[in-house]
Amino acid sequence: MREDRHIISVIVQNESSVLARISGLFAGRGYNIESLTVAPVPNDSGLSRLTIETYGSCKTVTQIEKQLNKLIPVLKVVEKDDFVEKEMALVKVPIEESLSDVDALARAYNGKIVNVGDGSIICMVADEPTRVAYFIKAIQKYNPIEIIRSGVVALER
Amino acid sequence: MEISGSRMVVEALKREGIDTVFGYPGGAIMNVYDELYKQDDIKHVLTRHEQAAIHAAEGFAKVTGEVGVAIVTSGPGFTNAVTGLADAYMDSVPIVVISGQVPMALIGTDAFQEIDAVGISRACTKHNYLVTDAKDLPRVIKEAFYIARSGRPGPVHVDIPKDVSAQITEFVYPDKAEIPTYNPAFKGDLEKIKNAVEAIKSSKRPLLYVGGGVVQSNSGNLVREFAEKTGIPAVETLMARGVMGSTNPLLISMVGMHGSYAANIAMSEADLLISFGPRFDDRVTGKLSEFAKEAKIIHVDIDPSSVDKLVASHYPIIGDLHSVLTDMLPLITEIEPEQFEDWRDAIEKNDKLHPLGYDKGEAIKPQEVIEKIGEVFGDRANISTDVGQHQMWAAQFYPFSRPRQFNTSGGLGTMGFGFPGAMGVKAGDRDRVAVNVTGDGSILMNIQELMTAVEYELPVVNVILNNNYLGMVRQWQTLFYDDRISETDLTVQPDFVKLVESFGGVGYRVETMEELEKALLDAEKRNVVALIDVKVDRRENVMPMVPAGGSLYNMMLR
Ligand SMILES: Cc1ncc(C[n+]2csc(CCOP(=O)(O)OP(=O)(O)O)c2C)c(N)n1
Ligand SMILES: [Mg+2]
């Protein structure tokens, strides 16, 4: 079966067990969650939005979608391919590296240097997930000490 | 009114119309038991094992169509209940299970009898709750009952820490559960129903594929009416036995791994499968790529995740079956039963060619035991079963006459379900004989319930089809493992007659069909907890059989 990348956006009631219910549904079926972001829906009391990035055949993902919908605290599940997707990454590089080169690279991916410390600097980028991946490749030249990706957030067009 | 959390539990149960609960006490649930002690409206049945309490609640729910309730303590009390929860989950049985939990302050400290109960039950319940404040209890219990019985029914678990059941606060029981994120489907889309009816009109070899959803939605009469009006023949799944009624000329038989030849062939030759509430279980479909290859598929189900899960349907209709059938029946015009006569004749021919049957012999055949129980009790009995060969023979040979007459563990296949399940059936339907068709293996898995049944006067008639084997596994060993009988020989057995007598019930050892008939009638007349040990031909196999993963039309016949 073909394994395609899918983004599933889930609106849930914000209660303590909801994340466990959702991740349990994936784990129990052996489906991997590639990335996951969760935050309260602004101005909307009691709801949270999860964005899940996963790989699977269309049939599998349709079934996941239905199973998600079956969970009692789930309000809405959206699985589409025309989301606007963004992801953030933070990278720590040694202070010895060329600040201006790192800054220029980050700027090319919608970012900049956000912190300069004693031994290292931290830069951030925010871009499409594929471009964040390119950036991470490109930054390798500057001997990054640590890289963090935020996971995808997505909004329907 | 300010009352304790435990009192709230009892008050809420009363308001839900509950008069019987099954359970087992322990430290963390003692507050609730203290409240049960102080009242008379709710009767508590003390089972002798928590698993049995859940199965009894299931049996009660299945025979009455109402929500069954069980109460257990934390830790081992809860873990003993897990098999029951899983069983109810697989068979969509509406039950509410209330468990005690260690006090909030001790949760997460590996306290005595602490276990992450909601963590465990998440995977085998429709929904669950850990109640952290008594002021949530009325809402939670209201929701629990609503969720258990609505949509596709299922078990709901409510875990209550001991300090929460002790907490005193305001009690207002809501009239209605309001869960904005939960809106179970009800009416089916009328356009889709119309399209399905058109497909029926133009079909040549339509077949009703009747599943457990028909029982759940109380649509038995509507399905019979549908069949009668159209002349379309029907097959039943294990969970749907009794829907059509065994004397109905339109009922072919059970379908699936141990379905009849005619039923399985009809499934394979039909050009339209009209599926009412089945879930296309692998024990029914056999090899999916070969399943109902000639057929377009209408699938009516209340659970959207059931539709197109395993088999893609051409006419999916999501909605409550009762409502869909009510909408569908008046649309059925211009269909004359005569138009399917050739199709029915072809099925009939197949049924004559290879009818469900068995060869008589010296020893009592297990199938004739079922036929005899049917002859003696018929409609008068509700039949529960355990799991194994005896279960399949009961499903094949009992003359079921109505929905909810058959109570079996289908999805999980839980040995040990039958006896406590039958106790629940008896508690829910006192006027009928509660029979448990069981095996010499299964009965020992909840044999301690003899004590419960005797104490609470739940006169279940257990009939052991005693083959001195874990027969179903032995059958697979014979057929697929060159008859290597690995750990399935049950030659070493208790004296079942003495065993039941030591609990205060009545035992019968039966070696002829006459003795069997006498024992059944005697047990009924004396209204006692009975165990009838019937020695049957130990090497008998359940036939026909579709080997697991094989195509439905490739059956071993004898
Ligand atoms: C709890 C549990 N353990 C194991 C099994 C596997 N199993 C299915 S049928 C069967 C044999 C049942 O033996 P018995 O109750 O004597 O019934 P028979 O098949 O002989 O009629 C077993 C072990 C099961 N279904 N449930
Ligand atoms: Mg046996």
Side-chain angles (χ1 to χ4, degrees):
Chain A
M1 238 181 271
R2 253 203 22 247
E3 301 262 301
D4 294 325
R5 177 176 176 276
H6 296 263
I7 297 291
I8 308 173
S9 177
V10 193
I11 313 273
V12 299
Q13 237 163 21
N14 187 0
E15 51 188 45
S16 58
S17 59
V18 70
L19 199 55
R21 291 183 202 284
I22 289 175
S23 60
L25 196 150
F26 279 78
R29 289 166 174 75
Y31 306 148
N32 192 29
I33 294 179
E34 189 68 19
S35 82
L36 169 72
T37 57
V38 200
V41 175
N43 310 327
D44 204 339
S45 58
L47 295 178
S48 282
R49 187 181 189 119
L50 282 87
T51 311
I52 301 168
E53 180 190 10
T54 186
Y55 286 81
S57 69
C58 272
K59 202 177 161 200
T60 308
V61 172
T62 307
Q63 190 48 219
I64 292 182
E65 198 188 322
K66 288 179 175 179
Q67 294 293 342
L68 284 168
N69 259 314
K70 244 171 103 164
L71 296 175
I72 308 288
V74 168
L75 181 66
K76 201 170 119 190
V77 182
V78 187
E79 196 277 306
K80 279 211 171 131
D81 45 18
D82 63 344
F83 281 117
V84 173
E85 296 177 29
K86 293 289 170 192
E87 184 173 5
M88 209 185 110
L90 294 176
V91 182
K92 191 186 277 180
V93 291
I95 195 98
E96 292 76 31
E97 299 296 333
S98 156
L99 272 182
S100 57
D101 282 7
V102 171
D103 189 56
L105 183 60
R107 279 177 193 284
Y109 292 90
N110 259 326
K112 59 184 173 195
I113 290 173
V114 291
N115 180 271
V116 180
D118 280 352
S120 61
I121 55 175
I122 296 177
C123 70
M124 61 79 72
V125 296
D127 214 326
E128 269 100 61
T130 41
R131 289 190 37 89
V132 170
Y134 291 141
F135 167 78
I136 287 169
K137 228 184 209 164
I139 200 80
Q140 297 302 329
K141 248 186 32 209
Y142 303 96
N143 304 309
I145 302 162
E146 220 175 335
I147 305 176
I148 303 176
R149 297 180 71 156
S150 66
V152 181
V153 289
L155 204 56
E156 300 166 69
R157 272 178 223 276
Chain B
M1 186 172 48
E2 295 227 325
I3 57 174
S4 68
S6 49
R7 175 83 189 281
M8 289 185 192
V9 170
V10 172
E11 288 302 319
L13 293 179
K14 284 186 200 168
R15 279 169 217 213
E16 292 297 332
I18 301 302
D19 57 14
T20 307
V21 300
F22 305 88
Y24 209 102
I29 195 73
M30 283 182 70
N31 293 334
V32 173
Y33 272 82
D34 195 44
E35 288 300 328
L36 283 171
Y37 179 85
K38 294 178 195 161
Q39 56 82 52
D40 292 318
D41 298 325
I42 299 174
K43 180 177 169 184
H44 179 273
V45 175
L46 177 72
T47 57
R48 272 22 180 204
H49 189 292
E50 288 88 351
Q51 183 193 353
I54 315 299
H55 291 328
E58 287 186 84
F60 183 90
K62 285 201 212 175
V63 80
T64 60
E66 321 261 313
V67 180
V69 177
I71 302 176
V72 300
T73 191
S74 69
F78 171 75
T79 54
N80 271 350
V82 171
T83 300
L85 283 171
D87 191 86
Y89 187 57
M90 292 294 282
D91 284 344
S92 310
V93 186
I95 57 170
V96 169
V97 174
I98 294 168
S99 59
Q101 182 55 280
V102 300
M104 293 283 292
L106 289 182
I107 290 182
T109 67
D110 300 333
F112 178 63
Q113 296 195 328
E114 183 197 354
I115 195 79
D116 175 8
V118 285
I120 292 174
S121 70
R122 200 175 291 132
C124 55
T125 52
K126 184 171 171 187
H127 197 52
N128 62 10
Y129 297 88
L130 169 63
V131 185
T132 56
D133 190 323
K135 74 173 176 2
D136 297 334
L137 257 176
R139 173 185 59 81
V140 165
I141 297 183
K142 187 81 213 173
E143 288 183 6
F145 276 87
Y146 172 58
I147 291 169
R149 71 161 76 90
S150 59
R152 177 177 181 173
V156 180
H157 167 218
V158 181
D159 197 32
I160 310 176
K162 195 170 183 181
D163 52 338
V164 173
S165 61
Q167 187 189 341
I168 291 175
T169 183
E170 184 68 19
F171 176 73
V172 183
Y173 200 63
D175 294 331
K176 223 168 99 210
E178 278 174 47
I179 313 169
T181 52
Y182 175 64
N183 299 299
F186 186 68
K187 275 192 95 66
D189 183 315
L190 205 57
E191 272 317 297
K192 292 194 168 162
I193 295 175
K194 281 183 186 151
N195 290 342
V197 171
E198 287 314 308
I200 296 170
K201 283 182 188 167
S202 56
S203 67
K204 302 246 167 347
R205 298 182 309 279
L207 184 69
L208 285 178
Y209 168 23
V210 179
V214 175
V215 180
Q216 299 274 6
S217 62
N218 296 314
S219 306
N221 284 339
L222 297 179
V223 171
R224 286 190 196 192
E225 188 183 333
F226 181 98
E228 219 162 280
K229 204 165 167 181
T230 57
I232 297 176
V235 296
E236 288 175 349
T237 66
L238 179 71
M239 302 313 283
R241 293 304 269 156
V243 167
M244 297 295 292
S246 60
T247 55
N248 193 322
L250 289 168
L251 173 66
I252 308 171
S253 190
M254 183 165 76
V255 70
M257 181 175 276
H258 295 298
S260 79
Y261 176 79
N264 288 349
I265 294 294
M267 203 76 151
S268 309
E269 288 181 346
D271 69 348
L272 182 70
L273 265 197
I274 307 165
S275 323
F276 289 145
R279 58 186 186 88
F280 294 79
D281 182 74
D282 53 273
R283 286 294 189 263
V284 166
T285 61
K287 191 176 182 179
L288 279 172
S289 58
E290 293 294 308
F291 174 71
K293 254 168 104 173
E294 314 261 307
K296 293 263 190 286
I297 292 172
I298 299 171
H299 188 181
V300 188
D301 205 293
I302 197 157
D303 178 3
S305 72
S306 244
V307 174
D308 295 342
K309 179 175 63 176
L310 293 156
V311 175
S313 57
H314 308 81
Y315 303 94
I317 301 171
I318 291 161
D320 170 59
L321 193 51
H322 196 278
S323 144
V324 170
L325 278 163
T326 308
D327 287 342
M328 196 182 254
L329 278 166
L331 301 176
I332 298 181
T333 52
E334 305 154 46
I335 300 180
E336 294 302 326
E338 288 73 44
Q339 75 192 76
F340 305 123
E341 204 171 313
D342 291 349
W343 168 230
R344 287 193 304 268
D345 287 349
I347 291 170
E348 173 95 34
K349 245 188 222 137
N350 280 335
D351 206 31
K352 291 236 163 74
L353 188 64
H354 298 294
L356 267 185
Y358 56 93
D359 300 319
K360 296 232 162 134
E362 285 277 294
I364 296 182
K365 291 285 178 164
Q367 299 93 329
E368 50 184 338
V369 176
I370 305 294
E371 286 179 337
K372 178 58 82 183
I373 304 171
E375 196 187 300
V376 172
F377 291 144
D379 185 63
R380 269 204 335 280
N382 290 314
I383 306 296
S384 301
T385 77
D386 266 301
V387 172
Q389 292 183 309
H390 62 274
Q391 175 189 33
M392 291 301 120
W393 285 315
Q396 288 178 329
F397 289 94
Y398 198 87
F400 297 104
S401 46
R402 56 193 157 78
R404 301 196 182 279
Q405 188 180 11
F406 188 48
N407 171 40
T408 197
S409 168
L412 197 65
T414 312
M415 288 171 69
F417 170 83
F419 184 20
M423 294 193 318
V425 166
K426 187 70 196 182
D429 184 0
R430 291 253 168 205
D431 298 334
R432 289 198 169 92
V433 185
V435 173
N436 174 35
V437 174
T438 182
D440 46 318
S442 296
I443 190 63
L444 288 181
M445 283 213 181
N446 268 317
I447 193 69
Q448 77 288 343
E449 294 312 311
L450 283 170
M451 206 65 265
T452 314
V454 168
E455 178 178 355
Y456 293 91
E457 295 176 4
L458 297 166
V460 172
V461 180
N462 293 284
V463 183
I464 306 178
L465 303 192
N466 194 341
N467 52 14
N468 289 86
Y469 275 130
L470 296 173
M472 187 56 96
V473 182
R474 194 280 307 154
Q475 172 170 340
W476 285 48
Q477 288 170 341
T478 301
L479 297 174
F480 311 120
Y481 293 85
D482 284 335
D483 205 27
R484 285 186 296 278
I485 307 298
S486 175
E487 304 297 324
T488 49
D489 190 310
L490 299 184
T491 302
V492 179
Q493 288 196 337
D495 180 330
F496 282 110
V497 172
K498 281 192 194 150
L499 176 72
V500 60
E501 281 170 356
S502 78
F503 282 88
V506 179
Y508 305 84
R509 185 164 293 110
V510 157
E511 264 140 33
T512 65
M513 293 303 285
E514 293 73 49
E515 285 172 9
L516 173 63
E517 180 162 344
K518 269 198 203 133
L520 290 168
L521 288 169
D522 189 65
E524 184 193 18
K525 198 171 95 216
R526 291 166 65 186
N527 209 25
V528 286
V529 179
L531 226 163
I532 305 178
D533 181 10
V534 192
K535 281 265 171 266
V536 296
D537 187 343
R538 56 183 318 228
R539 296 289 297 189
E540 189 71 10
N541 290 334
V542 182
M543 291 290 154
M545 178 172 192
V546 180
S551 314
L552 197 53
Y553 50 78
N554 271 336
M555 282 160 272
M556 304 178 182
L557 288 165
R558 276 294 152 93

